[in-house]
Amino acid sequence: MIVRLFACRGRITSRLGVRPHTEMARPSSDLAAFREIFSKAKHVAIMTGAGVSAESGVPTFRGAGGYWRKWQAQDLATPEAFSRNPSRVWEFYHYRRQVMLTKSPNPAHLAIAECEERLRKQGRRVTVITQNIDELHRRAGSKNVFEIHGSLFKTRCMSCGHESANHKSPICVALEGKGAPDPNTSDAQIPVQDLPRCEQVDCHGLLRPAVVWFGETLDSDILTHVEEELDNCDLCLVVGTSSIVYPAAMFAPQVAVRGVPVAEFNLEDTPATMRFKFHFHGPCGTTLPPALACHEGEGN
């Protein structure tokens, strides 16, 4: 699988080379047929996106109304935005961190975690490859998780490069009470020396969220592991992802090219839908649990 050609995070503007829909069969929505394939799969890769977390009430910052103040995420989630105004960007991420402290995993997260544990006991493997940065999969109990866009609750030093988990609330004193999303709220304009700082000995450099911003390259080690998982899977699920942010948008279509069944669970069609064997329309928290539930003869 050639995932490194698209290692830089961005948005897809084409339709992934899909032929006109009239020339391709509509993906099946036959749950029994999916369950038959699922019952025999030994290595299941589950790719998740913002749609999964949206069902926990996590803002997606995408589409109509997807704004923090007057900006969408792609306006703030860039190295250039952080360089220009680190205080504004940290307000945005502080708001997101605080919101996440009020959210819980939903039935889709829980179904994936339960499936991973159940299949592990049968000698089968489930891997979660997520674009989400909220850690809800881990909180649900998933162990085998690759967070390809990083985590809201990790920081990286701009000076020494040290990266570590950080669940402080607030992450620094100056951000307490800041980050209100109302468009009429003025920027806090926090002095850079009062923003989150590195605690490594003799450093004290400026910290940034350890997330992959638009225009940045995904971690090469994580890409290597993801490539191995996708090359070896015999069933792939694409759950709650719009299939417009690459390189993740390219992963499942590349798996499908190998002839591996791919099942999409989403509220709507995506640019990749016609590449897949299955499409289950509706909220992931409703469609996914019955698809992954234990059934008679499983693992035989």
PDB file of all heavy atoms in Angstrom, residues 210-244:
ATOM      1  N   ALA A 210       0.030  18.619  20.554  1.00  0.00           N
ATOM      2  CA  ALA A 210       0.695  17.562  19.786  1.00  0.00           C
ATOM      3  C   ALA A 210      -0.313  16.907  18.849  1.00  0.00           C
ATOM      4  O   ALA A 210      -0.672  15.734  18.985  1.00  0.00           O
ATOM      5  CB  ALA A 210       1.334  16.532  20.707  1.00  0.00           C
ATOM      6  N   VAL A 211      -0.783  17.706  17.917  1.00  0.00           N
ATOM      7  CA  VAL A 211      -1.716  17.251  16.898  1.00  0.00           C
ATOM      8  C   VAL A 211      -1.107  17.551  15.534  1.00  0.00           C
ATOM      9  O   VAL A 211      -0.216  18.396  15.411  1.00  0.00           O
ATOM     10  CB  VAL A 211      -3.087  17.944  17.029  1.00  0.00           C
ATOM     11  CG1 VAL A 211      -3.744  17.599  18.363  1.00  0.00           C
ATOM     12  CG2 VAL A 211      -2.960  19.449  16.883  1.00  0.00           C
ATOM     13  N   VAL A 212      -1.581  16.841  14.523  1.00  0.00           N
ATOM     14  CA  VAL A 212      -1.106  17.069  13.165  1.00  0.00           C
ATOM     15  C   VAL A 212      -1.974  18.144  12.529  1.00  0.00           C
ATOM     16  O   VAL A 212      -3.164  17.930  12.277  1.00  0.00           O
ATOM     17  CB  VAL A 212      -1.147  15.774  12.328  1.00  0.00           C
ATOM     18  CG1 VAL A 212      -0.638  16.042  10.914  1.00  0.00           C
ATOM     19  CG2 VAL A 212      -0.309  14.682  12.990  1.00  0.00           C
ATOM     20  N   TRP A 213      -1.381  19.279  12.280  1.00  0.00           N
ATOM     21  CA  TRP A 213      -2.120  20.391  11.693  1.00  0.00           C
ATOM     22  C   TRP A 213      -2.152  20.264  10.175  1.00  0.00           C
ATOM     23  O   TRP A 213      -1.330  19.538   9.569  1.00  0.00           O
ATOM     24  CB  TRP A 213      -1.471  21.716  12.095  1.00  0.00           C
ATOM     25  CG  TRP A 213      -1.810  22.145  13.499  1.00  0.00           C
ATOM     26  CD1 TRP A 213      -2.961  21.882  14.170  1.00  0.00           C
ATOM     27  CD2 TRP A 213      -0.994  22.924  14.384  1.00  0.00           C
ATOM     28  NE1 TRP A 213      -2.921  22.456  15.424  1.00  0.00           N
ATOM     29  CE2 TRP A 213      -1.739  23.110  15.581  1.00  0.00           C
ATOM     30  CE3 TRP A 213       0.278  23.509  14.283  1.00  0.00           C
ATOM     31  CZ2 TRP A 213      -1.245  23.825  16.665  1.00  0.00           C
ATOM     32  CZ3 TRP A 213       0.759  24.228  15.362  1.00  0.00           C
ATOM     33  CH2 TRP A 213       0.008  24.383  16.542  1.00  0.00           C
ATOM     34  N   PHE A 214      -3.062  20.981   9.549  1.00  0.00           N
ATOM     35  CA  PHE A 214      -3.144  20.985   8.091  1.00  0.00           C
ATOM     36  C   PHE A 214      -1.812  21.492   7.525  1.00  0.00           C
ATOM     37  O   PHE A 214      -1.261  22.495   7.986  1.00  0.00           O
ATOM     38  CB  PHE A 214      -4.295  21.866   7.612  1.00  0.00           C
ATOM     39  CG  PHE A 214      -5.648  21.274   7.909  1.00  0.00           C
ATOM     40  CD1 PHE A 214      -6.390  21.706   8.996  1.00  0.00           C
ATOM     41  CD2 PHE A 214      -6.173  20.269   7.105  1.00  0.00           C
ATOM     42  CE1 PHE A 214      -7.631  21.149   9.276  1.00  0.00           C
ATOM     43  CE2 PHE A 214      -7.409  19.711   7.376  1.00  0.00           C
ATOM     44  CZ  PHE A 214      -8.139  20.156   8.468  1.00  0.00           C
ATOM     45  N   GLY A 215      -1.311  20.758   6.540  1.00  0.00           N
ATOM     46  CA  GLY A 215      -0.024  21.097   5.943  1.00  0.00           C
ATOM     47  C   GLY A 215       1.151  20.399   6.580  1.00  0.00           C
ATOM     48  O   GLY A 215       2.273  20.492   6.072  1.00  0.00           O
ATOM     49  N   GLU A 216       0.914  19.681   7.681  1.00  0.00           N
ATOM     50  CA  GLU A 216       1.995  18.960   8.350  1.00  0.00           C
ATOM     51  C   GLU A 216       1.983  17.480   7.960  1.00  0.00           C
ATOM     52  O   GLU A 216       0.958  16.934   7.549  1.00  0.00           O
ATOM     53  CB  GLU A 216       1.871  19.091   9.866  1.00  0.00           C
ATOM     54  CG  GLU A 216       2.139  20.494  10.379  1.00  0.00           C
ATOM     55  CD  GLU A 216       2.180  20.564  11.887  1.00  0.00           C
ATOM     56  OE1 GLU A 216       1.392  19.859  12.554  1.00  0.00           O
ATOM     57  OE2 GLU A 216       2.999  21.347  12.410  1.00  0.00           O
ATOM     58  N   THR A 217       3.119  16.842   8.123  1.00  0.00           N
ATOM     59  CA  THR A 217       3.280  15.438   7.769  1.00  0.00           C
ATOM     60  C   THR A 217       2.946  14.548   8.955  1.00  0.00           C
ATOM     61  O   THR A 217       3.326  14.843  10.094  1.00  0.00           O
ATOM     62  CB  THR A 217       4.726  15.164   7.323  1.00  0.00           C
ATOM     63  OG1 THR A 217       5.033  15.999   6.200  1.00  0.00           O
ATOM     64  CG2 THR A 217       4.898  13.710   6.918  1.00  0.00           C
ATOM     65  N   LEU A 218       2.235  13.465   8.691  1.00  0.00           N
ATOM     66  CA  LEU A 218       1.919  12.509   9.741  1.00  0.00           C
ATOM     67  C   LEU A 218       3.189  11.831  10.243  1.00  0.00           C
ATOM     68  O   LEU A 218       4.166  11.704   9.506  1.00  0.00           O
ATOM     69  CB  LEU A 218       0.936  11.449   9.234  1.00  0.00           C
ATOM     70  CG  LEU A 218      -0.556  11.780   9.351  1.00  0.00           C
ATOM     71  CD1 LEU A 218      -0.930  12.991   8.525  1.00  0.00           C
ATOM     72  CD2 LEU A 218      -1.396  10.577   8.945  1.00  0.00           C
ATOM     73  N   ASP A 219       3.139  11.412  11.496  1.00  0.00           N
ATOM     74  CA  ASP A 219       4.272  10.731  12.114  1.00  0.00           C
ATOM     75  C   ASP A 219       4.644   9.485  11.304  1.00  0.00           C
ATOM     76  O   ASP A 219       3.807   8.627  11.042  1.00  0.00           O
ATOM     77  CB  ASP A 219       3.903  10.342  13.544  1.00  0.00           C
ATOM     78  CG  ASP A 219       5.042   9.685  14.298  1.00  0.00           C
ATOM     79  OD1 ASP A 219       5.253   8.469  14.100  1.00  0.00           O
ATOM     80  OD2 ASP A 219       5.720  10.385  15.068  1.00  0.00           O
ATOM     81  N   SER A 220       5.914   9.382  10.932  1.00  0.00           N
ATOM     82  CA  SER A 220       6.342   8.285  10.053  1.00  0.00           C
ATOM     83  C   SER A 220       6.228   6.926  10.733  1.00  0.00           C
ATOM     84  O   SER A 220       5.913   5.925  10.071  1.00  0.00           O
ATOM     85  CB  SER A 220       7.776   8.522   9.576  1.00  0.00           C
ATOM     86  OG  SER A 220       8.671   8.573  10.669  1.00  0.00           O
ATOM     87  N   ASP A 221       6.459   6.868  12.041  1.00  0.00           N
ATOM     88  CA  ASP A 221       6.335   5.590  12.752  1.00  0.00           C
ATOM     89  C   ASP A 221       4.888   5.122  12.770  1.00  0.00           C
ATOM     90  O   ASP A 221       4.599   3.932  12.559  1.00  0.00           O
ATOM     91  CB  ASP A 221       6.862   5.721  14.184  1.00  0.00           C
ATOM     92  CG  ASP A 221       8.370   5.890  14.237  1.00  0.00           C
ATOM     93  OD1 ASP A 221       9.048   5.466  13.278  1.00  0.00           O
ATOM     94  OD2 ASP A 221       8.870   6.424  15.241  1.00  0.00           O
ATOM     95  N   ILE A 222       3.977   6.061  13.030  1.00  0.00           N
ATOM     96  CA  ILE A 222       2.554   5.696  13.021  1.00  0.00           C
ATOM     97  C   ILE A 222       2.130   5.260  11.625  1.00  0.00           C
ATOM     98  O   ILE A 222       1.407   4.270  11.457  1.00  0.00           O
ATOM     99  CB  ILE A 222       1.692   6.870  13.514  1.00  0.00           C
ATOM    100  CG1 ILE A 222       1.936   7.115  15.003  1.00  0.00           C
ATOM    101  CG2 ILE A 222       0.206   6.605  13.255  1.00  0.00           C
ATOM    102  CD1 ILE A 222       1.158   8.276  15.582  1.00  0.00           C
ATOM    103  N   LEU A 223       2.604   5.965  10.593  1.00  0.00           N
ATOM    104  CA  LEU A 223       2.269   5.581   9.221  1.00  0.00           C
ATOM    105  C   LEU A 223       2.750   4.165   8.899  1.00  0.00           C
ATOM    106  O   LEU A 223       2.061   3.402   8.225  1.00  0.00           O
ATOM    107  CB  LEU A 223       2.893   6.559   8.225  1.00  0.00           C
ATOM    108  CG  LEU A 223       2.107   7.828   7.901  1.00  0.00           C
ATOM    109  CD1 LEU A 223       2.870   8.663   6.887  1.00  0.00           C
ATOM    110  CD2 LEU A 223       0.715   7.496   7.372  1.00  0.00           C
ATOM    111  N   THR A 224       3.937   3.831   9.383  1.00  0.00           N
ATOM    112  CA  THR A 224       4.471   2.482   9.157  1.00  0.00           C
ATOM    113  C   THR A 224       3.553   1.432   9.765  1.00  0.00           C
ATOM    114  O   THR A 224       3.220   0.422   9.127  1.00  0.00           O
ATOM    115  CB  THR A 224       5.879   2.345   9.752  1.00  0.00           C
ATOM    116  OG1 THR A 224       6.759   3.234   9.063  1.00  0.00           O
ATOM    117  CG2 THR A 224       6.401   0.925   9.621  1.00  0.00           C
ATOM    118  N   HIS A 225       3.122   1.662  11.008  1.00  0.00           N
ATOM    119  CA  HIS A 225       2.229   0.707  11.673  1.00  0.00           C
ATOM    120  C   HIS A 225       0.876   0.642  10.982  1.00  0.00           C
ATOM    121  O   HIS A 225       0.317  -0.451  10.799  1.00  0.00           O
ATOM    122  CB  HIS A 225       2.056   1.093  13.138  1.00  0.00           C
ATOM    123  CG  HIS A 225       3.271   0.885  13.984  1.00  0.00           C
ATOM    124  ND1 HIS A 225       3.873  -0.347  14.124  1.00  0.00           N
ATOM    125  CD2 HIS A 225       4.004   1.752  14.735  1.00  0.00           C
ATOM    126  CE1 HIS A 225       4.915  -0.246  14.932  1.00  0.00           C
ATOM    127  NE2 HIS A 225       5.027   1.025  15.301  1.00  0.00           N
ATOM    128  N   VAL A 226       0.345   1.784  10.594  1.00  0.00           N
ATOM    129  CA  VAL A 226      -0.949   1.810   9.910  1.00  0.00           C
ATOM    130  C   VAL A 226      -0.863   1.054   8.591  1.00  0.00           C
ATOM    131  O   VAL A 226      -1.762   0.277   8.233  1.00  0.00           O
ATOM    132  CB  VAL A 226      -1.401   3.267   9.680  1.00  0.00           C
ATOM    133  CG1 VAL A 226      -2.566   3.330   8.693  1.00  0.00           C
ATOM    134  CG2 VAL A 226      -1.803   3.911  11.005  1.00  0.00           C
ATOM    135  N   GLU A 227       0.215   1.267   7.873  1.00  0.00           N
ATOM    136  CA  GLU A 227       0.401   0.575   6.600  1.00  0.00           C
ATOM    137  C   GLU A 227       0.417  -0.934   6.802  1.00  0.00           C
ATOM    138  O   GLU A 227      -0.207  -1.693   6.043  1.00  0.00           O
ATOM    139  CB  GLU A 227       1.702   1.040   5.945  1.00  0.00           C
ATOM    140  CG  GLU A 227       1.912   0.509   4.533  1.00  0.00           C
ATOM    141  CD  GLU A 227       3.108   1.148   3.859  1.00  0.00           C
ATOM    142  OE1 GLU A 227       4.174   1.231   4.511  1.00  0.00           O
ATOM    143  OE2 GLU A 227       2.986   1.560   2.708  1.00  0.00           O
ATOM    144  N   GLU A 228       1.100  -1.395   7.843  1.00  0.00           N
ATOM    145  CA  GLU A 228       1.154  -2.834   8.139  1.00  0.00           C
ATOM    146  C   GLU A 228      -0.238  -3.377   8.470  1.00  0.00           C
ATOM    147  O   GLU A 228      -0.620  -4.462   7.994  1.00  0.00           O
ATOM    148  CB  GLU A 228       2.111  -3.085   9.309  1.00  0.00           C
ATOM    149  CG  GLU A 228       3.568  -2.838   8.971  1.00  0.00           C
ATOM    150  CD  GLU A 228       4.467  -2.921  10.195  1.00  0.00           C
ATOM    151  OE1 GLU A 228       3.934  -3.059  11.328  1.00  0.00           O
ATOM    152  OE2 GLU A 228       5.710  -2.861  10.042  1.00  0.00           O
ATOM    153  N   GLU A 229      -0.976  -2.632   9.285  1.00  0.00           N
ATOM    154  CA  GLU A 229      -2.316  -3.085   9.659  1.00  0.00           C
ATOM    155  C   GLU A 229      -3.233  -3.184   8.442  1.00  0.00           C
ATOM    156  O   GLU A 229      -3.970  -4.160   8.285  1.00  0.00           O
ATOM    157  CB  GLU A 229      -2.925  -2.124  10.690  1.00  0.00           C
ATOM    158  CG  GLU A 229      -2.199  -2.055  12.014  1.00  0.00           C
ATOM    159  CD  GLU A 229      -2.316  -3.320  12.835  1.00  0.00           C
ATOM    160  OE1 GLU A 229      -3.252  -4.114  12.594  1.00  0.00           O
ATOM    161  OE2 GLU A 229      -1.475  -3.523  13.738  1.00  0.00           O
ATOM    162  N   LEU A 230      -3.190  -2.183   7.588  1.00  0.00           N
ATOM    163  CA  LEU A 230      -4.070  -2.174   6.423  1.00  0.00           C
ATOM    164  C   LEU A 230      -3.644  -3.199   5.375  1.00  0.00           C
ATOM    165  O   LEU A 230      -4.481  -3.756   4.663  1.00  0.00           O
ATOM    166  CB  LEU A 230      -4.118  -0.765   5.820  1.00  0.00           C
ATOM    167  CG  LEU A 230      -4.751   0.313   6.715  1.00  0.00           C
ATOM    168  CD1 LEU A 230      -4.681   1.670   6.036  1.00  0.00           C
ATOM    169  CD2 LEU A 230      -6.191  -0.040   7.063  1.00  0.00           C
ATOM    170  N   ASP A 231      -2.345  -3.448   5.272  1.00  0.00           N
ATOM    171  CA  ASP A 231      -1.871  -4.459   4.330  1.00  0.00           C
ATOM    172  C   ASP A 231      -2.261  -5.867   4.761  1.00  0.00           C
ATOM    173  O   ASP A 231      -2.376  -6.772   3.925  1.00  0.00           O
ATOM    174  CB  ASP A 231      -0.349  -4.382   4.190  1.00  0.00           C
ATOM    175  CG  ASP A 231       0.101  -3.235   3.309  1.00  0.00           C
ATOM    176  OD1 ASP A 231      -0.751  -2.640   2.621  1.00  0.00           O
ATOM    177  OD2 ASP A 231       1.311  -2.914   3.301  1.00  0.00           O
ATOM    178  N   ASN A 232      -2.461  -6.052   6.077  1.00  0.00           N
ATOM    179  CA  ASN A 232      -2.733  -7.392   6.600  1.00  0.00           C
ATOM    180  C   ASN A 232      -4.192  -7.644   6.951  1.00  0.00           C
ATOM    181  O   ASN A 232      -4.570  -8.772   7.241  1.00  0.00           O
ATOM    182  CB  ASN A 232      -1.876  -7.644   7.845  1.00  0.00           C
ATOM    183  CG  ASN A 232      -0.395  -7.759   7.507  1.00  0.00           C
ATOM    184  OD1 ASN A 232      -0.029  -8.430   6.563  1.00  0.00           O
ATOM    185  ND2 ASN A 232       0.448  -7.101   8.280  1.00  0.00           N
ATOM    186  N   CYS A 233      -5.018  -6.610   6.928  1.00  0.00           N
ATOM    187  CA  CYS A 233      -6.411  -6.807   7.336  1.00  0.00           C
ATOM    188  C   CYS A 233      -7.178  -7.595   6.274  1.00  0.00           C
ATOM    189  O   CYS A 233      -6.870  -7.538   5.082  1.00  0.00           O
ATOM    190  CB  CYS A 233      -7.090  -5.472   7.613  1.00  0.00           C
ATOM    191  SG  CYS A 233      -7.506  -4.484   6.154  1.00  0.00           S
ATOM    192  N   ASP A 234      -8.193  -8.331   6.748  1.00  0.00           N
ATOM    193  CA  ASP A 234      -9.072  -9.045   5.815  1.00  0.00           C
ATOM    194  C   ASP A 234     -10.503  -8.510   5.882  1.00  0.00           C
ATOM    195  O   ASP A 234     -11.410  -9.049   5.250  1.00  0.00           O
ATOM    196  CB  ASP A 234      -9.034 -10.551   6.043  1.00  0.00           C
ATOM    197  CG  ASP A 234      -9.323 -10.961   7.481  1.00  0.00           C
ATOM    198  OD1 ASP A 234      -9.609 -10.076   8.308  1.00  0.00           O
ATOM    199  OD2 ASP A 234      -9.258 -12.177   7.782  1.00  0.00           O
ATOM    200  N   LEU A 235     -10.696  -7.433   6.656  1.00  0.00           N
ATOM    201  CA  LEU A 235     -11.965  -6.711   6.687  1.00  0.00           C
ATOM    202  C   LEU A 235     -11.667  -5.307   7.186  1.00  0.00           C
ATOM    203  O   LEU A 235     -10.885  -5.125   8.125  1.00  0.00           O
ATOM    204  CB  LEU A 235     -12.974  -7.390   7.619  1.00  0.00           C
ATOM    205  CG  LEU A 235     -14.309  -6.663   7.827  1.00  0.00           C
ATOM    206  CD1 LEU A 235     -15.091  -6.560   6.516  1.00  0.00           C
ATOM    207  CD2 LEU A 235     -15.161  -7.381   8.882  1.00  0.00           C
ATOM    208  N   CYS A 236     -12.275  -4.311   6.549  1.00  0.00           N
ATOM    209  CA  CYS A 236     -12.037  -2.920   6.932  1.00  0.00           C
ATOM    210  C   CYS A 236     -13.380  -2.218   7.119  1.00  0.00           C
ATOM    211  O   CYS A 236     -14.286  -2.369   6.294  1.00  0.00           O
ATOM    212  CB  CYS A 236     -11.210  -2.213   5.858  1.00  0.00           C
ATOM    213  SG  CYS A 236     -10.855  -0.473   6.206  1.00  0.00           S
ATOM    214  N   LEU A 237     -13.501  -1.480   8.208  1.00  0.00           N
ATOM    215  CA  LEU A 237     -14.681  -0.667   8.464  1.00  0.00           C
ATOM    216  C   LEU A 237     -14.274   0.805   8.437  1.00  0.00           C
ATOM    217  O   LEU A 237     -13.219   1.175   8.960  1.00  0.00           O
ATOM    218  CB  LEU A 237     -15.295  -0.989   9.828  1.00  0.00           C
ATOM    219  CG  LEU A 237     -16.197  -2.223   9.952  1.00  0.00           C
ATOM    220  CD1 LEU A 237     -15.442  -3.500   9.645  1.00  0.00           C
ATOM    221  CD2 LEU A 237     -16.788  -2.297  11.357  1.00  0.00           C
ATOM    222  N   VAL A 238     -15.099   1.625   7.817  1.00  0.00           N
ATOM    223  CA  VAL A 238     -14.873   3.073   7.768  1.00  0.00           C
ATOM    224  C   VAL A 238     -16.070   3.710   8.461  1.00  0.00           C
ATOM    225  O   VAL A 238     -17.189   3.661   7.955  1.00  0.00           O
ATOM    226  CB  VAL A 238     -14.761   3.569   6.315  1.00  0.00           C
ATOM    227  CG1 VAL A 238     -14.394   5.044   6.290  1.00  0.00           C
ATOM    228  CG2 VAL A 238     -13.724   2.754   5.546  1.00  0.00           C
ATOM    229  N   VAL A 239     -15.826   4.300   9.623  1.00  0.00           N
ATOM    230  CA  VAL A 239     -16.918   4.692  10.509  1.00  0.00           C
ATOM    231  C   VAL A 239     -16.900   6.203  10.774  1.00  0.00           C
ATOM    232  O   VAL A 239     -15.939   6.731  11.339  1.00  0.00           O
ATOM    233  CB  VAL A 239     -16.832   3.933  11.845  1.00  0.00           C
ATOM    234  CG1 VAL A 239     -18.033   4.261  12.719  1.00  0.00           C
ATOM    235  CG2 VAL A 239     -16.728   2.433  11.616  1.00  0.00           C
ATOM    236  N   GLY A 240     -17.936   6.894  10.325  1.00  0.00           N
ATOM    237  CA  GLY A 240     -18.092   8.301  10.658  1.00  0.00           C
ATOM    238  C   GLY A 240     -17.027   9.212  10.090  1.00  0.00           C
ATOM    239  O   GLY A 240     -16.699  10.231  10.701  1.00  0.00           O
ATOM    240  N   THR A 241     -16.491   8.876   8.940  1.00  0.00           N
ATOM    241  CA  THR A 241     -15.483   9.736   8.327  1.00  0.00           C
ATOM    242  C   THR A 241     -15.976  10.258   6.987  1.00  0.00           C
ATOM    243  O   THR A 241     -16.619   9.530   6.220  1.00  0.00           O
ATOM    244  CB  THR A 241     -14.132   9.014   8.150  1.00  0.00           C
ATOM    245  OG1 THR A 241     -13.221   9.867   7.454  1.00  0.00           O
ATOM    246  CG2 THR A 241     -14.285   7.714   7.408  1.00  0.00           C
ATOM    247  N   SER A 242     -15.676  11.512   6.702  1.00  0.00           N
ATOM    248  CA  SER A 242     -16.158  12.167   5.488  1.00  0.00           C
ATOM    249  C   SER A 242     -15.370  11.769   4.245  1.00  0.00           C
ATOM    250  O   SER A 242     -15.782  12.051   3.128  1.00  0.00           O
ATOM    251  CB  SER A 242     -16.073  13.684   5.656  1.00  0.00           C
ATOM    252  OG  SER A 242     -14.729  14.080   5.877  1.00  0.00           O
ATOM    253  N   SER A 243     -14.228  11.125   4.432  1.00  0.00           N
ATOM    254  CA  SER A 243     -13.352  10.735   3.319  1.00  0.00           C
ATOM    255  C   SER A 243     -12.937  11.924   2.456  1.00  0.00           C
ATOM    256  O   SER A 243     -12.837  11.831   1.234  1.00  0.00           O
ATOM    257  CB  SER A 243     -14.018   9.663   2.438  1.00  0.00           C
ATOM    258  OG  SER A 243     -14.170   8.452   3.148  1.00  0.00           O
ATOM    259  N   ILE A 244     -12.667  13.058   3.115  1.00  0.00           N
ATOM    260  CA  ILE A 244     -12.173  14.219   2.371  1.00  0.00           C
ATOM    261  C   ILE A 244     -10.846  14.726   2.912  1.00  0.00           C
ATOM    262  O   ILE A 244     -10.246  15.623   2.318  1.00  0.00           O
ATOM    263  CB  ILE A 244     -13.201  15.383   2.368  1.00  0.00           C
ATOM    264  CG1 ILE A 244     -13.478  15.882   3.783  1.00  0.00           C
ATOM    265  CG2 ILE A 244     -14.476  14.978   1.664  1.00  0.00           C
ATOM    266  CD1 ILE A 244     -14.314  17.147   3.827  1.00  0.00           C
TER     267      ILE A 244
END
